[in-house]
Amino acid sequence: MRPAPLPLAQRPTPIEPLDRLTDWLGGPRLLVKRDDQTGLALGGNKARKLEHLCAEALALGCDTLVTGGGPQSNHCRMTAAAANRLGLQCHLALAGEATGPPTGNLLLDHVLGAHLHPTGARSYYEIEASIEGVADHVRSTGRRPYAIPVGGASVTGALGYVDAARELAGQLTEPVDWIVVADGSGGTHAGLLAGLDGDTRILGVDVGTRPDLDQRVPELAEATAAATGRPAPGSEVAIDHTRFGAGYGKPTPECLEAIRVVARREGLLLDPVYTGKAMAGLIGWAREGRFTDRHSVLFWHTGGAPALFAGPFADWLTNGEG
Ligand SMILES: Cc1ncc(COP(=O)(O)O)c(C=O)c1O
């Protein structure tokens, strides 16, 4: 029996119309689901996953959360916050080398008091391996680590988005045609696929985190559905791999345009790593005629704004009009 999720997220998160963005685009009819408002040290999609992951950690008698990601990982920041809420320790395996003063999410990791392990890892798979390495180290000190994969993309984590799909169904008076969401580790997309009923399609926009989303998302969706006794997701999995430009964390002109347009039309902040690229995908699909004024599209805002205050993004966002 799986333990019940812990109450870590503010939910339900609101759904808001994006009428001024809809006008700018000339259709489709746009809505936004505000999972940037989940709380837990500035919000984001990981709060829902952590409700299930932390419940499992406590049920297993663990006293330390271990996870990892890039220095600007939202998942790391929110895992550190969840650990503090629950009185657990948190160790973070960080990709790359420690350089310069901390900004954005990394600054918040410091404020939250997480134990930081710069690992020099360069690829997705190296980070996964370094999480195991840090967990071994924690174990060798006599503590009981609970290792969470990058992005919380396990079946347990994805259960948070089965809950979210149910929440959405209770909020909408009529189903939307499409949901658009950023695909990093793929867990959010997989959980939504496992949890949604009806004909709503999901477009995942690959932000360049991992190379195997086409296999991983359907696999994880099927395993998550099986874990909840739900039928295997029926529809073909749609992932747009054309929007991440030079790679993870490297914004494209279209991403910078999306951030500015959404801020200036709707007063809504996106981020340069995930939601800016996902919105660039949505805008691209509208411009290419794949979303038309006959469609309703819900943009699933997954958070990430702390990265606006990090590294080179300030320069990119303030120079030129993109
Ligand atoms: C702000 C934000 N949006 C989207 C994602 C992607 O979610 P997932 O890893 O579930 O694909 C992440 C994390 O990776 C994130 O931090």
Side-chain angles (χ1 to χ4, degrees):
M1 255 277 279
R2 283 182 179 275
L6 299 173
L8 293 174
Q10 305 274 359
R11 45 189 176 80
T13 55
I15 296 177
E16 295 166 356
L18 295 174
D19 292 342
R20 282 176 38 77
L21 190 64
T22 302
D23 284 350
W24 179 79
L25 261 185
R29 189 171 69 82
L30 298 175
L31 300 168
V32 59
K33 174 78 168 150
R34 297 293 306 272
D35 271 16
D36 57 320
Q37 301 286 303
T38 54
L40 211 55
L42 299 182
N45 59 342
K46 306 308 178 200
R48 293 184 190 271
K49 297 185 183 187
L50 284 161
E51 291 197 327
H52 287 270
L53 292 161
C54 292
E56 187 168 84
L58 293 189
L60 292 170
C62 297
D63 57 15
T64 305
L65 303 181
V66 180
T67 194
Q72 287 304 324
S73 165
N74 298 292
H75 166 65
C76 286
R77 179 242 315 160
M78 296 187 75
T79 302
N84 292 354
R85 281 271 291 272
L86 299 169
L88 306 174
Q89 269 192 14
C90 178
H91 286 249
L92 301 174
L94 298 178
E97 322 294 337
T99 50
T103 56
N105 281 299
L106 184 58
L107 171 62
L108 300 178
D109 295 342
H110 280 274
V111 173
L112 291 162
H115 299 257
L116 306 182
H117 303 262
T119 63
R122 301 248 160 255
S123 70
Y124 185 87
Y125 300 108
E126 282 178 16
I127 303 173
E128 289 287 21
S130 69
I131 293 171
E132 290 308 322
V134 171
D136 287 344
H137 161 74
V138 167
R139 203 172 290 113
S140 74
T141 67
R143 296 190 67 90
R144 302 198 56 179
Y146 178 80
I148 302 174
V150 176
S154 60
V155 166
T156 305
L159 292 175
Y161 273 86
V162 176
D163 300 343
R166 204 173 302 132
E167 178 180 302
L168 178 73
Q171 288 176 302
L172 291 175
T173 45
E174 55 184 289
V176 290
D177 298 310
W178 283 90
I179 291 171
V180 176
V181 69
D183 265 349
S185 63
T188 302
H189 189 169
L192 287 174
L193 279 169
L196 277 182
D197 295 311
D199 295 330
T200 299
R201 300 284 318 274
I202 305 175
L203 172 64
V205 181
D206 181 356
V207 302
T209 305
R210 62 187 293 166
D212 58 353
L213 283 172
D214 286 331
Q215 293 79 48
R216 182 62 185 154
V217 172
E219 226 171 68
L220 185 57
E222 210 176 304
T224 305
T228 54
R230 292 181 52 83
S235 68
E236 202 185 303
V237 174
I239 302 179
D240 182 339
H241 297 287
T242 67
R243 314 285 168 181
F244 60 77
Y248 175 80
K250 304 208 167 69
T252 57
E254 293 78 12
C255 165
L256 298 177
E257 179 201 28
I259 292 173
R260 289 195 191 100
V261 165
V262 172
R264 293 172 192 189
R265 289 253 147 197
E266 296 287 354
L268 181 68
L269 296 176
L270 304 179
D271 80 285
V273 181
Y274 297 96
T275 53
K277 286 185 178 174
M279 183 57 85
L282 187 160
I283 293 171
W285 273 49
R287 284 180 174 155
E288 292 151 19
R290 291 192 269 180
F291 292 150
T292 71
D293 57 7
R294 289 190 309 281
H295 290 117
S296 53
V297 179
L298 179 137
F299 181 75
W300 205 297
H301 194 327
T302 47
L308 284 170
F309 307 101
F313 296 125
D315 270 354
W316 285 329
L317 283 162
T318 49
N319 286 331
E321 285 300 301

